[in-house]
Amino acid sequence: STSRTGKNHSDYFEKGVSWLLSMLGLNAVWLGKDFESTGSNEERIVIDLLGHNDSNHIFLVNVTSGIPTSSDFARERRYRENLQNKINNPDLILSSILFSNGPTTNLIETAKLEGLILVGKNEIEYLLNLIEKGDNDIAREYLTREKITF
């Protein structure tokens, strides 16, 4: 939806996620409306952000105001695997993170089965609380599901 000032609320959410990634020490590149994959409507995905650190790890970040479905998770996995195959660099690690401002707690395990990290409203609040307490390493490990050093 659009506010009285004409700004799209999804843009604000995407920028907020970008700032969150930056607070966690990831270099975040906001792609906005500039990137959409090609292919059939069933296979098309939009990457809103790229996150990366100094290692060979790139995070493909999708931000949605809706509640994702298992077919969304499968589509994200297929896209990530396709991209990984096209890049053909075994040293490069691609991960998918999907942020939703809706309730997602009961979907986290389903997303994990597709190799996707799902971050909903409750998880965003948890991450922000960790950052506020200065526990950025714990927040970063929670978000990436692995220990990443900078």
Side-chain angles (χ1 to χ4, degrees), residues 2 6 17 26 47 58 63 84-86 93 102 111 124 140 142:
T2 305
V17 169
L26 296 173
I47 300 296
I58 296 176
V63 181
Q84 185 80 56
N85 288 336
K86 286 179 183 176
I93 301 167
I124 292 169
R140 191 170 30 251
Y142 176 85

Side-chain angles (χ1 to χ4, degrees), residues 27-38:
N27 298 309
V29 178
W30 183 50
L31 301 174
K33 305 288 182 257
D34 295 334
F35 178 82
E36 184 173 328
S37 69
T38 58

Side-chain angles (χ1 to χ4, degrees), residues 77-88:
R77 177 190 47 77
R78 287 190 301 270
Y79 179 78
R80 183 186 65 249
E81 289 173 351
N82 252 347
L83 188 58
Q84 185 80 56
N85 288 336
K86 286 179 183 176
I87 293 170
N88 195 25

Side-chain angles (χ1 to χ4, degrees), residues 14-51:
E14 289 173 14
K15 288 178 185 174
V17 169
S18 175
W19 294 333
L20 174 64
L21 294 174
S22 294
M23 286 188 283
L24 292 173
L26 296 173
N27 298 309
V29 178
W30 183 50
L31 301 174
K33 305 288 182 257
D34 295 334
F35 178 82
E36 184 173 328
S37 69
T38 58
S40 67
N41 285 339
E42 296 81 30
E43 290 301 311
R44 187 168 294 157
I45 70 162
V46 175
I47 300 296
D48 299 304
L49 298 154
L50 294 175

Side-chain angles (χ1 to χ4, degrees), residues 2 22 27 29 40 43 45 53 57 62 67 89-90 93-94 98 106 138 145 150:
T2 305
S22 294
N27 298 309
V29 178
S40 67
E43 290 301 311
I45 70 162
N53 57 22
H57 199 146
N62 191 342
I67 298 173
N89 180 348
I93 301 167
L94 293 179
L98 195 151
N106 60 343
I138 295 170
R145 305 295 196 259
F150 295 94

Side-chain angles (χ1 to χ4, degrees), residues 48-74:
D48 299 304
L49 298 154
L50 294 175
H52 64 92
N53 57 22
D54 293 333
S55 71
N56 289 335
H57 199 146
I58 296 176
F59 300 92
L60 307 172
V61 182
N62 191 342
V63 181
T64 181
S65 57
I67 298 173
T69 65
S70 58
S71 62
D72 294 329
F73 304 150

Side-chain angles (χ1 to χ4, degrees), residues 76-119:
E76 293 271 345
R77 177 190 47 77
R78 287 190 301 270
Y79 179 78
R80 183 186 65 249
E81 289 173 351
N82 252 347
L83 188 58
Q84 185 80 56
N85 288 336
K86 286 179 183 176
I87 293 170
N88 195 25
N89 180 348
D91 295 329
L92 182 68
I93 301 167
L94 293 179
S95 296
S96 297
I97 304 175
L98 195 151
F99 281 85
S100 170
N101 63 3
T104 58
T105 305
N106 60 343
L107 300 170
I108 289 175
E109 289 303 314
T110 305
K112 192 186 290 185
L113 292 173
E114 295 288 355
L116 184 77
I117 300 164
L118 179 62
V119 182

